[in-house]
Amino acid sequence: MTAFGAVISLRNTIDFILHSSHFSLIEPSPHIIQLVYEELDPLQEILYTLDDTSKSKSRKKVNALDGRIKDLIWEFEDLLVYLLHQQIHSKFHAVQIDEEMKERVWEFQRSMGFQGLMESLPSQPKGSKNTPRFYIDLQFLQHDVSSFIERLEDLEEEYIYEVDNMPEDEDEDDDDQSISTRSGTKSKMIGLSDQFQQLKQILVDRKMESYDKKKCVVLVGTAGVGKTALAEAVFEDPEVMSRFEHRVWVRVGRKSQFDHVSRAILAEMFGIVQGDDELGAYLEERLEGKECLIVLDDVWEQEIVDSLKRSLSNGLVHILVTTRDRTITLLTSYPRSVILVRFLNEEESKELLCEKVFGEKDCPFQLDKAAGKIAKKCEGLPLMIVTVADILLESHDTDPKYWEDVAEMRNSVFTDAYNAISKVLFPSYDYLPQHLKMPFLYMGVLPPDYDIPKSKLMNMLATEGWFYKKNKMRSLEESFWLCLDQLCANRSLVLFNQRSAIYGALHCNFKTCRLLSSWRHLCRGEARKNKFYCILKKLVDGFEDDLEGQRCLCLENNLLFGIKEFSNSVRSNCASSTHSLLFFGPYLQYPIPIGDDFEFLGKLDALNLRLYTFPTEILTLVLLKYLALTCNGELPPTISKLFNLRVLIIHPHNNIRICRAPSYVPIEIWDMQELEHIEILGKSFVAPCHSASLEKLSTLVGVNASICTILELSRKVPCIKTLGVQIELTPYDDCSDLLSCFDCVSTIENLETLKCSIVNPLIKYDHAFPSSLKLLRWLGKLHLSGMGFSWEYMDVIGSLPYLEVLKLRAYAFRGPKWEAREESFLRLLFLLIEDSDLVQWKPRSVSFPELSHLSMKHCYKLEEFHWLSHHESGTIELLNCNPVALTCAMQLQPNPDTVVDVTATSSFDEKPVTIKFTRRGVKTEDI
């Protein structure tokens, strides 16, 4: 369960040592470390064998052995990191002594009148490439490597044996109960009326029978979302009952095999108890010519559906499957409908909670508000709502203060409910494929109610060393998206923010994602138990017995680190084992000392701490790969000591600009050759005069730059994929300079996202030709602000064949009318226009055919716009626009079979007013 993550971490550490441009391994060090690396390949394959075992088998012994393998790997990795750290530090210490000696000689010579001597000595030009080189000797590890490999091979043999001899899971019910019909109890279904009608329509619809007599309908969703309740409601519906001659309900579960399912169907339909011989043939014979509905509830194995399908080659049989895993039924050849069972909305959640607590009675008036809060905190998960309701019912406490405490989570009700449902949720995690467990487990470290930006999650996982690229031919981003797609679409474990812009081919391509609190609780419990990370929220957390040896510390109360007793306890228990330190609590405006005790840190995220100056003590953390700080001070040139950094994020405490000389990113940053992501807000970024380049840099955002710098950057960051800059124009700049800037950017072949904001746009472009604007044709996302171009320039942007997201802010384009030309913006999905003098937007035919989201903000002159998209659903957002624009939206006539949801909000009145309505196109069959 956790050994796979440890293997990936050690592999990445060894890869770093073997391939870093900063290290030269002294013989026989390469051979020593290569022996370990080669031993990890077969171990990884052995761990993968667990994925092929039956879901009915108990994994308790295997999981315990998995933990022992993890501990052994971490023990060796810590030793390896310790040796690496010591040798890097000894080198830096010697350099520091040399610099101190040079300064002393300088002072002595000045006192003696020899001022020119030191000045005449050769020195390295400022800003030149100065990559430190370290000679690493690992021969001290020879004995440890031999011992490690020997112990690992013993554990591998034991692991293979345990996997081959896994017993049946005793926690599962007996077969007679596991393969069964429903209990017969009938309860009222609350919510999901829309999906009830959708499912019922699919089952009773006879149109599909003209070309195929069978259907397979799949209800998929996370554990506890109400799949079974929805299936039961449809199963007992009178219209469905009259539609089918036979109906049978089979609860499958994890322990089922096809012969068990077949016997259950025969027993339910005909009262027949059949032997094991030729069950499939006998089942087909009995069902031939009969209209049947077979419900397979809680399916875990693909083979169950496949075998039943083969046995029912003849007949009018419909199969309704409920499952947590969408891949279970993807391979079936049945005409297939997949319904993702949604979460309950706030109104449905409150109704379900009150029905379970008060029955037919109404919720008491004094508890109504608290009941709504409690229901909302259950996040629409019916299992959580029912569990909390049971606890409230058992308490017999109708004191409004008690209910308010529950709503504000000031008592243990929600924690007790999370613990109670964990047994239902845990199998979904336990039976995940090995390479998905660590990304999913790690998501629990992020704060509650936090929508995780996908770029942040990808950077954090990659720098942690826990993310595994299963397919070496894919890029890191492609592998990451595929991982999230499996966790979201196939496993229903990760939720994507529906309010985010959709782009790309994978349907999971959202800007942010998140976990339900119930899943976060489970992930955090498993992570703490296995020493991957622990969450520190209260003072007592710093003195817990299981704190020792944790790999990652996450503070959800940043102030705790400022308490001496707490800080000392944490440092004494974890300083030698902690590889990540994360301050994820509410933003703290007072500085807290971070210190350099955590020598082996690979990741430090302190964006939620305010630091007045750059904390120079962290420059001793030479193994840092990820650094995120909020700091208004200057970055020191010595930041290049952190030569291993891959991600550097520096945010200012505020965006108030001071009238003084601009603040620059130190030129020494170009010596940090491992950098892949730079996000430094508000500081000027300049390119060096020498030939340095950042070959691995893929993201550069937030920096200020001149037009000249942009011209240089296009040559010095060849692999950049995301570029976001602010350009401050002067009265002496002209349009040709700015257009040439875009011309240079268009030569960056890998660029996918461009964000460009012009500060102080003073220039007119009337004498320039729109065709002078050049952009890379591969762009997928384009954000522009302050250009002041005329709308004629949009013809160039509209011709970009892969553009999916376009955001125009702060008069990026000027003029009263934008008449987009024909067949333009063919793949655009998301369009934002904010702060514009636009009056009329009139796309011509066959333009914007795929647009799904249109957002108009602060367009005070807007009077007319159109919707030509053929997308099946769309969203229009109007925020503080001309009231005439709302009238225009109400008169829209979308294309046939298109539904457009409109939200218009105005803050002009004393109270903000929001209007929501839906515009539907005329369906072809209704004409």
Side-chain angles (χ1 to χ4, degrees):
M1 182 160 54
T2 55
F4 189 86
V7 170
I8 301 308
S9 178
L10 180 54
R11 286 182 70 121
N12 287 330
T13 298
I14 294 175
D15 272 332
F16 161 60
I17 295 172
L18 288 175
H19 301 114
S20 173
S21 59
H22 303 284
F23 299 147
S24 291
L25 297 183
I26 300 173
E27 292 294 342
S29 298
H31 173 70
I32 293 172
I33 202 170
Q34 191 67 39
L35 286 175
V36 178
Y37 195 86
E38 292 172 358
E39 186 65 28
L40 296 177
D41 281 331
L43 173 59
Q44 191 169 309
E45 294 304 315
I46 290 170
L47 293 174
Y48 264 132
T49 60
L50 186 64
D51 293 344
D52 298 326
T53 58
S54 171
K55 306 296 189 297
S56 66
K57 302 293 185 179
S58 172
R59 295 189 171 187
K60 289 182 179 178
K61 289 186 177 180
V62 173
N63 288 343
L65 183 56
D66 183 281
R68 288 166 56 196
I69 297 173
K70 176 260 298 178
D71 290 340
L72 175 61
I73 294 173
W74 274 356
E75 179 185 328
F76 179 82
E77 185 177 10
D78 285 346
L79 178 59
L80 180 60
V81 169
Y82 172 78
L83 285 176
L84 187 65
H85 179 270
Q86 291 300 104
Q87 294 185 51
I88 294 174
H89 253 290
S90 63
K91 167 75 172 180
F92 270 135
H93 182 64
V95 171
Q96 184 176 359
I97 291 175
D98 289 344
E99 291 297 324
E100 291 175 358
M101 183 61 68
K102 183 177 179 180
E103 185 65 27
R104 289 179 185 178
V105 171
W106 180 289
E107 289 296 328
F108 173 75
Q109 290 183 340
R110 280 199 304 176
S111 66
M112 297 298 292
F114 302 120
Q115 296 183 7
L117 180 59
M118 286 298 295
E119 295 173 0
S120 65
L121 293 178
S123 59
Q124 190 128 6
K126 183 175 178 59
S128 64
K129 188 173 180 179
N130 183 24
T131 303
R133 194 79 180 173
F134 302 96
Y135 293 91
I136 305 300
D137 187 357
L138 302 177
Q139 62 179 325
F140 305 106
L141 279 178
Q142 277 186 316
H143 175 73
D144 297 283
V145 166
S146 300
S147 175
F148 170 73
I149 292 176
E150 183 178 344
R151 293 168 61 190
L152 198 59
E153 288 175 346
D154 290 341
L155 288 174
E156 288 173 0
E157 290 183 12
E158 189 175 350
Y159 190 90
I160 293 171
Y161 174 82
E162 291 295 347
V163 169
D164 290 341
N165 295 277
M166 293 165 63
E168 291 293 321
D169 191 349
E170 296 179 358
D171 290 339
E172 273 280 291
D173 297 329
D174 294 332
D175 285 350
D176 291 340
Q177 296 172 330
S178 181
I179 302 296
S180 63
T181 59
R182 297 174 311 117
S183 61
T185 58
K186 194 173 180 179
S187 59
K188 176 184 176 183
M189 190 189 81
I190 296 175
L192 302 180
S193 59
D194 53 335
Q195 294 195 319
F196 172 84
Q197 293 297 333
Q198 180 186 4
L199 176 59
K200 176 182 169 181
Q201 182 64 32
I202 293 173
L203 291 176
V204 301
D205 187 9
R206 297 179 182 269
K207 291 181 180 179
M208 294 183 68
E209 294 174 9
S210 60
Y211 63 87
D212 199 300
K213 299 178 181 180
K214 303 181 289 294
K215 294 180 186 175
C216 182
V217 186
V218 185
L219 297 181
V220 65
T222 191
V225 78
K227 302 181 294 294
T228 299
L230 178 58
E232 282 187 328
V234 173
F235 189 81
E236 295 292 349
D237 182 78
E239 190 174 349
V240 173
M241 293 172 67
S242 63
R243 165 74 171 82
F244 296 99
E245 182 179 352
H246 294 287
R247 296 174 305 118
V248 60
W249 181 287
V250 182
R251 182 188 176 276
V252 181
R254 289 190 287 112
K255 295 182 67 174
S256 301
Q257 297 178 1
F258 174 64
D259 56 347
H260 299 154
V261 174
S262 300
R263 278 197 296 269
I265 294 173
L266 289 170
E268 174 78 359
M269 285 187 173
F270 309 112
I272 297 173
V273 180
Q274 179 69 17
D276 290 341
D277 296 336
E278 301 297 330
L279 270 174
Y282 189 75
L283 180 63
E284 182 174 11
E285 177 186 334
R286 298 291 299 188
L287 294 182
E288 185 174 2
K290 295 180 172 62
E291 288 193 300
C292 304
L293 173 62
I294 299 176
V295 178
L296 301 180
D297 183 35
D298 194 25
V299 176
W300 285 75
E301 304 279 3
Q302 172 74 38
E303 181 59 28
I304 296 293
V305 180
D306 289 345
S307 298
L308 185 60
K309 178 195 68 174
R310 289 192 295 267
S311 299
L312 303 175
S313 57
N314 298 315
L316 304 170
V317 180
H318 290 16
I319 300 176
L320 174 58
V321 176
T322 74
T323 180
R324 306 180 186 193
D325 185 357
R326 186 176 183 176
T327 60
I328 293 295
T329 56
L330 288 179
L331 301 179
T332 179
S333 60
Y334 272 36
R336 176 175 49 83
S337 299
V338 178
I339 299 176
L340 177 64
V341 180
R342 66 171 176 83
F343 295 91
L344 301 184
N345 59 37
E346 290 184 23
E347 183 180 346
E348 294 168 335
S349 298
K350 182 180 176 183
E351 182 183 356
L352 177 59
L353 178 77
C354 293
E355 195 273 338
K356 292 298 180 183
V357 177
F358 304 110
E360 298 296 327
K361 300 179 182 178
D362 292 333
C363 175
F365 172 76
Q366 66 272 21
L367 301 180
D368 186 73
K369 186 175 180 180
K373 290 181 180 178
I374 293 171
K376 184 177 181 179
K377 277 195 165 56
C378 293
E379 301 174 303
L381 187 67
L383 178 62
M384 186 65 186
I385 297 170
V386 170
T387 305
V388 169
D390 289 342
I391 297 174
L392 292 172
L393 188 61
E394 291 174 5
S395 72
H396 303 290
D397 195 335
T398 56
D399 183 354
K401 184 180 184 307
Y402 172 75
W403 278 60
E404 189 63 31
D405 287 343
V406 174
E408 299 299 329
M409 303 182 79
R410 290 193 291 258
N411 54 30
S412 64
V413 169
F414 271 91
T415 301
D416 293 342
Y418 292 145
N419 291 332
I421 69 175
S422 288
K423 184 178 180 181
V424 177
L425 303 182
F426 181 75
S428 293
Y429 163 73
D430 197 24
Y431 292 99
L432 274 177
Q434 297 284 342
H435 69 284
L436 296 180
K437 285 182 178 177
M438 287 311 305
F440 176 65
L441 198 66
Y442 187 70
M443 292 181 72
V445 78
L446 291 148
D449 304 320
Y450 178 68
D451 288 329
I452 312 163
K454 63 102 178 177
S455 58
K456 181 180 180 73
L457 182 59
M458 181 173 67
N459 284 331
M460 293 182 73
L461 278 169
T463 52
E464 282 282 6
W466 288 348
F467 185 71
Y468 175 59
K469 286 174 56 178
K470 194 173 182 182
N471 188 330
K472 301 301 181 183
M473 300 301 293
R474 292 193 180 99
S475 67
L476 174 65
E477 190 168 8
E478 290 172 333
S479 299
F480 177 74
W481 269 127
L482 185 60
C483 169
L484 280 186
D485 188 51
Q486 293 179 60
L487 289 173
C488 170
N490 294 340
R491 309 286 173 169
S492 303
L493 299 178
V494 177
L495 305 180
F496 286 86
N497 186 356
Q498 297 291 336
R499 293 172 296 177
S500 300
I502 305 173
Y503 62 96
L506 291 175
H507 82 274
C508 75
N509 280 349
F510 291 71
K511 290 173 64 176
T512 61
C513 55
R514 64 184 177 91
L515 286 182
L516 288 178
S517 296
S518 50
W519 278 115
R520 179 178 289 103
H521 180 82
L522 184 145
C523 287
R524 291 182 168 187
E526 287 298 305
R528 183 157 190 155
K529 181 176 67 177
N530 291 286
K531 304 289 187 181
F532 272 100
Y533 61 79
C534 71
I535 309 298
L536 305 176
K537 295 188 290 186
K538 298 175 291 184
L539 186 62
V540 68
D541 292 338
F543 303 91
E544 295 288 346
D545 294 336
D546 63 350
L547 194 60
E548 185 177 358
Q550 293 286 349
R551 306 287 280 190
C552 172
L553 300 178
C554 176
L555 284 93
E556 288 196 345
N557 181 352
N558 297 331
L559 191 59
L560 289 175
F561 227 63
I563 301 173
K564 186 176 180 180
E565 293 79 6
F566 178 91
S567 178
N568 289 342
S569 176
V570 170
R571 293 174 195 274
S572 63
N573 280 297
C574 303
S576 62
S577 64
T578 301
H579 290 235
S580 297
L581 183 58
L582 314 173
F583 292 88
F584 284 167
Y587 184 71
L588 191 64
Q589 297 196 31
Y590 307 99
I592 286 179
I594 297 172
D596 56 358
D597 304 72
F598 300 93
E599 296 181 306
F600 307 129
L601 276 189
K603 177 184 299 181
L604 174 59
D605 191 326
L607 276 180
N608 287 351
L609 290 183
R610 180 183 182 181
L611 301 171
Y612 291 103
T613 60
F614 186 89
T616 54
E617 65 270 17
I618 70 172
L619 295 177
T620 62
L621 306 178
V622 293
L623 298 179
L624 272 181
K625 300 177 183 176
Y626 183 108
L627 176 61
L629 300 175
T630 293
C631 172
N632 270 18
E634 299 294 328
L635 297 184
T638 48
I639 194 173
S640 60
K641 285 186 176 182
L642 303 178
F643 62 89
N644 191 36
L645 270 186
R646 300 182 186 177
V647 176
L648 176 60
I649 302 173
I650 305 292
H651 288 183
H653 171 61
N654 54 52
N655 291 319
I656 298 176
R657 300 189 62 188
I658 302 174
C659 294
R660 63 180 185 187
S663 176
Y664 286 93
V665 177
I667 202 79
E668 286 79 6
I669 203 168
W670 290 88
D671 297 334
M672 303 168 69
Q673 296 297 299
E674 300 299 321
L675 278 172
E676 299 171 2
H677 180 107
I678 297 178
E679 182 179 329
I680 302 179
L681 306 186
K683 294 187 183 294
S684 297
F685 193 77
V686 295
C689 298
H690 57 80
S691 59
S693 62
L694 295 174
E695 301 286 342
K696 297 182 180 180
L697 190 67
S698 62
T699 300
L700 174 63
V701 293
V703 296
N704 296 335
S706 65
I707 292 178
C708 293
T709 297
I710 298 294
L711 303 182
E712 287 294 320
L713 283 180
S714 62
R715 294 189 288 267
K716 294 182 179 294
V717 285
C719 295
I720 197 82
K721 291 184 177 180
T722 299
L723 177 62
V725 296
Q726 280 193 131
I727 302 176
E728 185 167 353
L729 298 181
T730 71
Y732 305 103
D733 294 319
D734 60 32
C735 65
S736 60
D737 292 331
L738 186 57
L739 291 172
S740 64
C741 167
F742 282 102
D743 192 7
C744 287
V745 170
S746 69
T747 63
I748 306 176
E749 295 183 356
N750 296 301
L751 194 65
E752 298 172 358
T753 300
L754 175 62
K755 303 178 181 181
C756 186
S757 176
I758 302 298
V759 182
N760 299 334
L762 303 173
I763 302 149
K764 296 183 178 180
Y765 304 93
D766 297 337
H767 62 283
F769 295 100
S771 59
S772 301
L773 176 63
K774 293 184 180 179
L775 292 167
L776 186 70
R777 61 182 282 105
W778 309 115
L779 277 180
K781 298 175 70 174
L782 179 62
H783 300 198
L784 298 176
S785 174
M787 274 69 187
F789 290 135
S790 69
W791 289 105
E792 294 174 345
Y793 284 80
M794 289 299 296
D795 290 344
V796 176
I797 298 175
S799 65
L800 298 176
Y802 303 102
L803 189 67
E804 296 178 339
V805 176
L806 176 61
K807 297 184 180 182
L808 309 173
R809 292 186 172 96
Y811 293 87
F813 293 83
R814 297 181 305 176
K817 186 175 182 180
W818 174 19
E819 192 168 0
R821 63 179 177 80
E822 294 183 0
E823 298 186 6
S824 60
F825 297 97
L826 296 180
R827 293 182 64 171
L828 194 72
L829 298 170
F830 185 97
L831 173 62
L832 166 68
I833 302 176
E834 183 175 356
D835 290 318
S836 171
D837 61 351
L838 185 66
V839 177
Q840 183 186 60
W841 174 43
K842 190 175 182 181
R844 296 180 184 176
S845 62
V846 203
S847 60
F848 300 92
E850 298 297 322
L851 190 66
S852 62
H853 190 111
L854 171 64
S855 180
M856 302 281 212
K857 298 181 179 180
H858 308 291
C859 298
Y860 303 114
K861 297 183 178 181
L862 183 65
E863 296 179 359
E864 180 183 356
F865 64 93
H866 297 264
W867 183 272
L868 300 181
S869 173
H870 291 271
H871 205 279
E872 60 184 14
S873 62
T875 300
I876 296 176
E877 178 187 17
L878 301 175
L879 176 61
N880 290 337
C881 292
N882 190 335
V884 179
L886 175 59
T887 304
C888 179
M890 298 176 71
Q891 297 173 351
L892 286 178
Q893 295 184 349
N895 286 295
D897 303 313
T898 298
V899 178
V900 181
D901 294 320
V902 182
T903 301
T905 301
S906 173
S907 302
F908 299 133
D909 301 323
E910 292 184 4
K911 280 189 175 182
V913 177
T914 299
I915 300 174
K916 296 183 179 180
F917 59 93
T918 299
R919 297 291 297 168
R920 299 179 184 273
V922 181
K923 294 186 178 181
T924 306
E925 62 234 35
D926 296 335
I927 298 177

